[in-house]
Amino acid sequence: MSLPLHQLYYNGSPQPATSSSDFQSVDPSTALPVATVQTASPADIDSAIASAKSAFPSWSITPPIARSRILLKAVAVLRERNDELARIETQDTGKPYSETSTVDVVTGADVLEYYANLVGGGGLNGETVQLREDAWVYTRKEALGVCVGIGAWNYPLQIALWKSAPCLAAGNTMVYKPSEVTPLHGQALAEIYSAAGLPPGVFNVVNGDGSVGAYLTSHPDVAKVSFTGQVSTGKKVASSAAGGMKYVTMELGGKSPLIILPDADLENAVDGAMMANFFSTGQVCTNGTRVFIPEAMKSAFEKRLLEKMEYIRPGDLMDPTTNFGPLVSQLHYNKVLKYIKHGIDIDGATLLSGGLEKPTLTPKALENGLWIKPTIFTNCTDDMTIVREEIFGPVMSILPYGTVDEAVQRANSTPLGLAAGVFTKDLNAAHKVIGRLEAGITWVNSWGESPAEMSVGGWKESGVGVENGRKGIEGWVRGKSTLVDMSGSVATVFGELKG
């Protein structure tokens, strides 16, 4: 059976790759291929970058309000095509349609809308400072040039929009590389931008594996690299970019702590822990996989948690009642299973729920898919591999604690610092604990919500810079300061000596 073909996209239209290489996108729910994707050659990447470079001079001087109008048209198209795009995301990622249709497209469009409105309303205006009666200083925020966005496989369209929205709104152009695991959104987004009136070359797409990303990050015509992915890859990308003095934004991994304080509402604590571990099949960088629970609450928490595990429903991804999908790829499936086996056999944690077997599934067509049971380990200790390393799957570790001070100290005992959260009825206590947690994204009595207005970014090895919010666009501009002297003469130390 012939599969749909996905090409590259630059100069405002789909372009055939000059390489003879391609790869397949696979539906994780069935492990069957759904599309063939062409791989960009170095010559193709050069062409895409040349397209972006050619488009930059005119796009960067296009008035912000004019850029805003184009981007808002793209927002309208994204919202009109929400269901269609959600189906593509579901087929590509294995996430339930109930999730992709209400989260993935929506939260991406929200960020594009936010930045379009921000720049259209003067959000890139500089400052003016009166130094003295006849001298003043003004500042400008100017676009960087050709930027590279390297996407992740867990939220493909959302991440593409989180990168391209501030980039394009600020007047830059972009060459975007989707993850080779979930590439199907790239061409669709490029076509939407073009339909909205984005000039050719402003947004371009190249497909391929890490070698394509490496070529992009080292290219001399690239001014900035924005990367989302695992820490080890991010370090390589940042190192390559630093060699060319490129600007970078890095949104990397985490091993985030969720601390339940002794006064927390039990129902809210259980619901929060489940959302922090099992939403999107646990394939979320900010997941709160280290759940710290007071020793006195542990038994009641685990009892209610087990009761609510029945509400996790794997199955037909297009069924609106399905709320749990498969893992994204065979490689990742093997990795997560290896961690679960390690937790059982080597770490010696207590398996409370889940494990190595697949869940019971209907229809039978799903039996060969990359399905896994949501898994809970309890009686965990901080030295266990499943507690220390990012698994990126639906695996919760329950860690009992004695005092809040102890929980905070243990929560911070990690080289990562992406996210953290607290559940409590005492908001004063919540603010005190949040203030001590070493993470860039924090929640109180909630988990995972990331609105367009909220700047997000990691501490320590979890990233560099932020995305979204007013602060997010600052990473896509460079400042220029100008001093204007209107006195009519130049003060100098090199005047003629008299007398």
Side-chain angles (χ1 to χ4, degrees), residues 9 17 59 79 106 131 133 149 163 266 317 330 354 365 370 410 434 469 478 486 498:
Y9 197 100
W59 180 247
R79 299 204 193 284
V106 173
L131 291 180
E133 183 180 4
K163 295 185 184 307
L266 182 63
L317 296 181
Q330 185 69 55
L370 306 173
R410 291 167 60 194
I434 287 291
R478 53 190 169 184
M486 302 179 294
K498 296 181 180 179

Side-chain angles (χ1 to χ4, degrees), residues 160-385:
L161 284 160
W162 281 20
K163 295 185 184 307
S164 62
C167 173
L168 306 186
N172 302 289
T173 58
M174 174 167 275
V175 178
Y176 171 69
K177 189 195 90 68
S179 165
E180 65 272 27
V181 179
T182 54
L184 300 187
H185 65 288
Q187 185 172 331
L189 178 58
E191 290 171 349
I192 287 172
Y193 274 137
S194 293
L198 200 68
V202 175
F203 183 77
N204 313 273
V205 179
V206 293
N207 297 307
D209 60 13
S211 63
V212 172
Y215 191 89
L216 283 166
T217 58
S218 62
H219 200 285
D221 288 337
V222 169
K224 168 170 179 162
V225 177
S226 176
F227 172 83
T228 299
Q230 63 185 22
V231 174
S232 58
T233 307
K235 288 181 177 180
K236 294 175 184 176
V237 171
S239 177
S240 174
M245 294 301 290
K246 295 174 172 59
Y247 297 88
V248 295
T249 301
M250 298 278 134
E251 198 277 285
L252 308 178
K255 192 67 180 178
S256 302
L258 185 160
I259 301 178
I260 299 167
L261 297 190
D263 72 324
D265 178 85
L266 182 63
E267 290 292 308
N268 286 343
V270 170
D271 288 341
M274 290 181 71
M275 287 297 290
N277 281 270
F278 305 133
F279 185 74
S280 218
T281 317
Q283 298 170 124
V284 185
C285 54
T286 54
N287 265 6
T289 52
R290 293 185 294 144
V291 178
F292 289 90
I293 185 80
E295 292 169 352
M297 288 181 67
K298 179 174 174 288
S299 178
F301 176 81
E302 290 177 353
K303 179 177 182 294
R304 189 65 180 125
L305 180 60
L306 286 175
E307 291 170 351
K308 290 200 167 191
M309 291 295 285
E310 296 181 9
Y311 306 151
I312 297 178
R313 297 178 293 273
D316 181 355
L317 296 181
M318 295 306 295
D319 184 333
T321 66
T322 297
N323 59 14
F324 189 83
L327 293 173
V328 74
S329 69
Q330 185 69 55
L331 183 66
H332 191 56
Y333 176 81
N334 294 341
K335 171 189 170 184
V336 175
L337 281 186
K338 184 177 179 181
Y339 271 112
I340 293 174
K341 188 172 184 355
H342 192 284
I344 297 169
D345 296 341
I346 308 299
D347 286 334
T350 302
L351 182 65
L352 189 65
S353 181
L356 298 171
E357 296 180 357
K358 287 187 176 184
T360 303
L361 294 160
T362 55
K364 288 184 68 66
L366 303 178
E367 289 180 352
N368 293 325
L370 306 173
W371 297 87
I372 192 170
K373 285 184 177 180
T375 296
I376 303 169
F377 286 105
T378 190
N379 299 323
C380 296
T381 56
D382 298 336
D383 60 344
M384 292 179 176
T385 296

Side-chain angles (χ1 to χ4, degrees), residues 49-68:
I49 291 175
S51 173
K53 185 177 180 180
S54 177
F56 174 72
S58 60
W59 180 247
S60 62
I61 63 171
T62 299
I65 188 64
R67 296 200 298 263
S68 174

